[in-house]
Amino acid sequence: MKLLAIAAAAFAVAAPSKTVQLALVHAVSGCHVWQVGPRTAGATATIRLKRGDRIQLRVNCPMQFRIELLRGPNLAFGDARFDPGTLRSIVFAKKGVYVLRATNLQSSEQVGLQTLGADNTPTLTVRVS
């Protein structure tokens, strides 16, 4: 029986990693917010992932953004500048709490958008177990 358990562990297949669809979208109030899948989450959002899971981040707002890691293990997402319409995958390889901030590089007025109130600075917290 013990030999069977060792053999099963040797041939165990890891569960496939999960991919969460995340977007920065334009909103009339505050200009831009996070959208997680089909749900609008607001200027701040929290996502729970497991080690090895990924986020596919799309910029659906007509502005350019700089994404920066404020806290957590290092992430490899390449150039910090995200252009409108771009899609990038970010893999969360280590356990921990990651905090990312998206800062718009253009104002609403510069890209011809009308908004109510000041532009948001979206913050994303990713908890990886």
Side-chain angles (χ1 to χ4, degrees), residues 44-125:
T44 59
T46 299
I47 297 174
R48 295 185 186 280
L49 299 175
K50 292 192 170 150
R51 196 175 75 197
D53 288 351
R54 71 186 68 233
I55 287 175
Q56 271 195 331
L57 175 60
R58 177 181 300 278
V59 176
N60 285 347
C61 186
M63 296 179 181
Q64 297 169 328
F65 288 88
R66 182 180 71 242
I67 307 291
E68 58 188 319
L69 178 64
L70 300 178
R71 193 170 66 232
N74 285 334
L75 283 174
F77 55 79
D79 187 2
R81 182 178 165 155
F82 284 66
D83 292 318
T86 58
L87 177 67
R88 212 165 312 159
S89 289
I90 303 170
V91 177
F92 293 83
K94 295 182 179 178
K95 293 180 181 181
V97 177
Y98 300 77
V99 178
L100 297 110
R101 177 173 58 201
T103 305
N104 55 310
L105 300 177
Q106 302 152 309
S107 69
S108 300
E109 296 80 27
Q110 288 173 318
V111 294
L113 297 174
Q114 292 187 352
T115 59
L116 300 174
D119 289 353
N120 294 326
T121 303
T123 304
L124 176 69
T125 301

Side-chain angles (χ1 to χ4, degrees), residues 1-11:
M1 192 64 149
K2 190 174 189 180
L3 185 60
L4 184 60
I6 292 171
F11 293 104

